[in-house]
Amino acid sequence: MWDYTEKVMDLFYNPQHQGTIEDCNEPGLKIVTGEVGSIACGDALRLHLKIDEQTDKILDARFQTFGCASAIASSSALTEIIIGMTVDQALNLTNREIAEYLGGLPEEKMHCSVMGQEALEAAIFSYKGIPLANHEEDESAMVCRCFGISETRIKKVIHENKLTDAEQVTNYIKAGGGCTSCLADIDDLIAAVWQNPDFEAPVTPEISPQPLLTNLQKITLIQQVIDSEIKPFLALDGGDVALYDVEGDKVKVILQGACGSCSSSLVTLKVAIEGKLRERVLPTLVVEAVNPY
Amino acid sequence: MSVIYLDNNATTQVDPLVAEAMLPFLTQYYGNPSSMHTFGGQVGKAIKQAREQVAALLGAEPTEIIFNSCGTEGNNTAIRTALATNPNKKHIITTEVEHAAILSQCRQLESQGYQVTYLSVNRQGQLDLDELEASLTGGTAVVSIMYANNETGVVFPIEQIGQIVKAKGAIFHVDAVQAVGKIPLDLKNSTIDLLTLSGHKLHAPKGIGVLYVRKGVRFRPLLLGGHQERGRRGGTENVPGIIALGKASELALVHLADVKKEQQLRDRLEQGLLAKIPNCEVNGHPIQRLPNTSNIGFKYIEGEAILLSLNQYGICASSGSACTSGSLEPSHVLRALGLPYSVLHGSIRFSLSRYTTDAEIDTVLKVMPEIVERLRALSPFKSDEEAWLKEQEKAIATAQS
């Protein structure tokens, strides 16, 4: 049994600020959502923020979490910490601060605090209209294909949490915890971070609204994410997907292989495909499966 | 708060009569059974009796019983002896749902040049015997298949499997750690060559096990040492453990006649949960299962969260979720069944014993719906699935029209 602190157990049994925030269309207030993880990964967090657009202050935060006790407690802690902050203040929050608020987490569960920090970042990016695809880490190489984790993200967590071995990296962001074939690469990244005196942790990009993607850019980006990240993930279970069409924010795909024949897996695919596309391209995308034959 | 222990496939309570039987061998009769004096000889006689008790439970001969330390040792010894006595055969057949004591070893053997076939299971956890038959070759040294699965409780048709295996001349090993004491065995009229059992699964203490070796099956010991166990397992005997296992076997034989009551309790628990809680399903075959095991997937929520919530009421169960194990992957058994992630991450195993009471089942049936409801209220997935399925149906209907 995990050695959880009293605070973790208290917030697990009595979580604060669970649920969603209804959009009342009140002028000057914006409701945004940030989502990380998936049902396939075993934990997921959907964070909802109500932000005063005049002051950029977070007026309310609610969460929905699928996961273990530490995932639920981390989500609750996150909401307690950020209510009252400005979005810029919240963007500086680290996963370590979430863990410290809980009186610590078992090393193997630190990824729950990372999930909180990433959901917060996703929500604030959504508020600022910054497509996550523009986040600098998306340009780097994919290291852990099992969990879809890039080189930049791994380097960032190594640096921020002063990690020194691959097992710690797995505990923090799951990278290397699937087929384990990338553990040697993670070792190299650790060495690269700590042997390079000039290494600087990736910084959050400047907060300013980005120009909207053209339709062609959007389709190109969707296709890239499907090819480089979603297809390899689905292939692990014998599944596949092909892009059929894009109409506005509606992405039509054809489910193939094992994905095409199992109705229950549609749920996972919804999360795996739509979740990834929302994370990488636009948070407003809606994915539909079609059968064109 | 009293404990409601429904994790008997993990380990069992030592029966008070078993503890009573072993106690004198911790205190009064501490002689080494190999010693050439009466004091040690008394212990040797007690071991002989325990061997007969275990043999009676299995329907075996006492000389076919090798005492060892645990199920893992039995499984390792079985595979190793089968390979050592058939040095020209480099092929092993097992299943995707075996215990780690088999799978870890097979993976290591693959790195040493052996070829291993891992038989798949269907959604109900059953093997395809045609796949087994097609996999067997003249080069197959050993087929190792569990009697009953520890997570789902699914029981494999061992004698049918054995006939297929023996027709090809391979050694047939059965990991019966979960089956012994729960379903009747008769090894005298069986195709099984080697069989593993573990004491702590049948109300004996931890640290004692048995490898059954059919008379006439060639054998090479894993542990080399003295002449203990007729030279088949070196090392001074765990005498209190052996005496305990003998007594536990005697009691298990009696209990087998009464196992129906345990099954009725299990069925009441299972049917009650399915009736009270929407969106949950039994993992594994509905009938071909151990009488004490129920593995239920509660959709949209995660196993560790369920277990810790049950723990508040003193209820002990088990989960196949990744978060309970320290691993990042959920149970390999539930994955092999092809369960969707929405089910397998939230699967809970309840395993009963002869000590389980009606009142304990009532308590679980009372608290479990509240726990599931609370955790589902936190989960982001439930409403998603319903909306998603509707979208799917609509999109497919549109595309078809």
Side-chain angles (χ1 to χ4, degrees):
Chain A
M1 193 168 171
W2 300 108
D3 187 15
Y4 286 138
T5 64
E6 279 182 30
K7 184 73 175 171
V8 170
M9 293 311 292
D10 180 43
L11 287 182
F12 167 59
Y13 290 128
N14 307 294
Q16 306 295 306
H17 308 118
Q18 68 185 77
T20 59
I21 301 175
E22 290 297 316
D23 193 349
C24 53
N25 294 317
E26 204 175 317
L29 293 181
K30 194 167 182 183
I31 312 295
V32 290
T33 299
E35 187 170 330
V36 291
S38 74
I39 206 163
C41 291
D43 44 27
L45 165 59
R46 192 178 289 165
L47 178 70
H48 310 271
L49 302 180
K50 182 195 270 187
I51 301 169
D52 182 333
E53 291 181 291
Q54 281 271 310
T55 61
D56 276 349
K57 201 170 177 182
I58 298 170
L59 302 179
D60 195 8
R62 305 267 156 184
F63 75 91
Q64 294 170 287
T65 295
F66 164 79
C68 58
S70 58
I72 290 169
S74 295
S75 306
S76 181
L78 171 67
T79 57
E80 289 181 53
I81 294 168
I82 60 173
I83 290 174
M85 283 183 170
T86 65
V87 290
D88 289 348
Q89 287 170 333
L91 263 180
N92 288 323
L93 185 73
T94 66
N95 69 287
R96 207 150 261 289
E97 288 172 287
I98 298 170
E100 281 165 9
Y101 184 88
L102 293 167
L105 283 170
E107 186 84 353
E108 295 88 342
K109 297 282 191 171
M110 283 300 288
H111 60 84
C112 296
S113 65
V114 174
M115 187 167 73
Q117 192 269 331
E118 289 179 349
L120 175 63
E121 194 173 86
I124 294 176
F125 277 28
S126 169
Y127 171 68
K128 294 290 184 183
I130 303 169
L132 279 175
N134 284 5
H135 197 298
E136 77 295 328
E137 77 172 57
D138 297 332
E139 303 300 322
S140 68
M142 182 66 62
V143 175
C144 174
R145 293 204 164 271
C146 298
F147 291 103
I149 302 171
S150 67
E151 179 181 322
T152 304
R153 192 171 155 211
I154 292 172
K155 282 183 169 177
K156 185 179 176 196
V157 84
I158 290 169
H159 191 267
E160 285 183 355
N161 293 283
K162 300 182 171 46
L163 307 183
T164 54
D165 65 56
E167 189 183 18
Q168 288 177 310
V169 173
T170 304
N171 290 336
Y172 275 68
I173 48 171
K174 294 192 171 185
C179 71
T180 70
S181 64
C182 62
L183 287 175
D185 295 332
I186 295 173
D187 283 336
D188 292 345
L189 292 178
I190 292 168
V193 169
W194 298 123
Q195 285 169 7
N196 177 7
D198 299 326
F199 177 81
E200 288 181 13
V203 292
T204 304
E206 196 174 326
I207 306 294
S208 62
Q210 300 282 314
L212 291 174
L213 294 170
T214 66
N215 215 30
L216 185 60
Q217 287 171 327
K218 191 197 297 177
I219 294 169
T220 306
L221 200 50
I222 289 170
Q223 186 68 62
Q224 278 175 4
V225 173
I226 287 177
D227 289 344
S228 64
E229 299 183 40
I230 296 174
K231 278 173 168 279
F233 180 74
L234 299 182
L236 294 174
D237 287 328
D240 199 2
V241 64
L243 181 62
Y244 180 67
D245 198 4
V246 178
E247 290 174 6
D249 277 356
K250 195 177 286 182
V251 182
K252 295 181 176 180
V253 299
I254 305 166
L255 298 171
Q256 297 169 328
C259 303
S261 56
C262 174
S263 63
S264 298
S265 73
L266 296 179
V267 182
T268 303
L269 294 176
K270 171 78 172 174
V271 176
I273 299 171
E274 187 176 275
K276 183 58 76 177
L277 288 176
R278 283 180 170 185
E279 181 193 326
R280 295 294 196 206
V281 184
L282 271 182
T284 47
L285 293 180
V286 176
V287 177
E288 283 183 1
V290 295
N291 180 3
Y293 307 110
Chain B
M1 182 168 56
S2 61
V3 168
I4 297 176
Y5 189 76
L6 298 177
D7 199 12
N8 287 282
N9 284 11
T11 195
T12 55
Q13 175 189 346
V14 175
D15 190 298
L17 293 173
V18 169
E20 189 185 320
M22 74 185 288
L23 193 59
F25 293 87
L26 287 165
T27 54
Q28 197 178 347
Y29 303 111
Y30 55 82
N32 188 325
S34 298
S35 298
M36 293 301 292
H37 43 65
T38 311
F39 191 57
Q42 286 175 325
V43 176
K45 279 182 189 163
I47 289 178
K48 183 171 176 283
Q49 188 195 356
R51 200 181 303 278
E52 288 166 357
Q53 289 167 314
V54 175
L57 176 63
L58 300 179
E61 295 295 324
T63 52
E64 295 173 320
I65 304 300
I66 303 173
F67 287 114
N68 58 20
S69 65
C70 60
T72 297
E73 185 188 330
N75 284 340
N76 273 259
T77 309
I79 301 288
R80 297 285 171 174
T81 189
L83 296 178
T85 52
N86 293 279
N88 297 323
K89 296 184 176 182
K90 302 290 182 189
H91 180 222
I92 301 162
I93 297 177
T94 187
T95 79
E96 289 179 348
V97 296
E98 295 301 309
H99 190 271
I102 293 291
L103 293 177
S104 301
Q105 192 184 193
C106 284
R107 292 202 185 99
Q108 190 193 55
L109 287 164
E110 279 181 293
S111 72
Q112 295 170 2
Y114 288 90
Q115 189 204 342
V116 182
T117 300
Y118 300 92
L119 302 175
S120 60
V121 293
N122 64 16
R123 181 68 181 258
Q124 294 190 321
Q126 295 174 301
L127 290 170
D128 178 351
L129 299 192
D130 291 338
E131 188 189 354
L132 166 66
E133 198 157 13
S135 304
L136 276 161
T137 71
T140 305
V142 57
V143 176
S144 179
I145 292 180
M146 61 191 353
Y147 211 122
N149 186 266
N150 49 319
E151 294 194 38
T152 60
V154 169
V155 175
F156 289 141
I158 285 298
E159 286 311 322
Q160 224 179 319
I161 291 169
Q163 281 163 16
I164 296 169
V165 173
K166 297 315 293 177
K168 288 280 185 177
I171 297 283
F172 185 32
H173 167 245
V174 173
D175 173 357
V177 162
Q178 291 295 342
V180 174
K182 294 171 190 164
I183 47 181
L185 297 181
D186 178 15
L187 294 179
K188 190 164 288 178
N189 301 305
S190 163
T191 51
I192 297 170
D193 294 313
L194 304 163
L195 178 138
T196 303
L197 72 87
S198 176
H200 75 103
K201 307 288 188 183
L202 60 145
H203 303 286
K206 296 155 192 70
I208 182 67
V210 157
L211 178 64
Y212 158 88
V213 182
R214 174 174 292 282
K215 203 171 179 179
V217 171
R218 293 170 65 208
F219 189 82
R220 296 283 181 277
L222 185 69
L223 295 188
L224 298 170
H227 60 272
Q228 294 90 349
E229 297 300 299
R230 296 168 60 232
R232 292 175 155 196
R233 200 269 186 182
T236 303
E237 295 90 339
N238 168 10
V239 177
I242 289 172
I243 304 304
L245 181 53
K247 186 66 183 176
S249 299
E250 181 190 306
L251 296 172
L253 202 52
V254 174
H255 172 66
L256 276 173
D258 206 26
V259 81
K260 194 107 184 149
K261 280 184 194 164
E262 201 174 308
Q263 184 172 340
Q264 283 166 351
L265 273 183
R266 189 276 309 267
D267 291 346
R268 191 161 77 78
L269 170 68
E270 192 170 282
Q271 285 157 17
L273 291 175
L274 294 179
K276 284 166 179 263
I277 302 173
N279 291 312
C280 59
E281 58 188 65
V282 174
N283 299 323
H285 195 274
I287 308 294
Q288 302 298 328
R289 255 188 309 157
L290 291 173
N292 79 320
T293 308
S294 179
N295 192 312
I296 303 180
F298 299 92
K299 282 186 170 183
Y300 322 121
I301 53 178
E302 198 275 334
E304 185 205 281
I306 302 172
L307 288 188
L308 286 179
S309 301
L310 283 169
N311 195 53
Q312 266 193 311
Y313 299 95
I315 299 167
C316 308
S318 171
S319 167
S321 87
C323 278
T324 53
S325 61
S327 151
L328 291 172
E329 291 291 320
S331 146
H332 70 282
V333 173
L334 300 183
R335 274 183 67 84
L337 265 62
L339 299 176
Y341 286 107
S342 58
V343 172
L344 70 87
H345 280 296
S347 288
I348 299 293
R349 180 187 69 189
F350 299 99
S351 46
L352 287 61
S353 80
R354 56 180 178 251
Y355 299 114
T356 308
T357 66
D358 270 301
E360 289 175 336
I361 297 301
D362 288 341
T363 303
V364 179
L365 287 173
K366 181 166 174 282
V367 304
M368 196 63 189
E370 297 163 17
I371 290 170
V372 173
E373 196 179 335
R374 182 182 87 84
L375 294 173
R376 280 185 181 161
L378 285 165
S379 172
F381 290 122
K382 183 174 184 295
S383 56
D384 273 11
E385 180 170 62
E386 286 163 7
W388 166 239
L389 287 173
K390 276 182 193 161
E391 276 177 34
Q392 287 296 309
E393 284 165 15
K394 201 171 148 190
I396 290 168
T398 308
Q400 285 172 342
S401 61

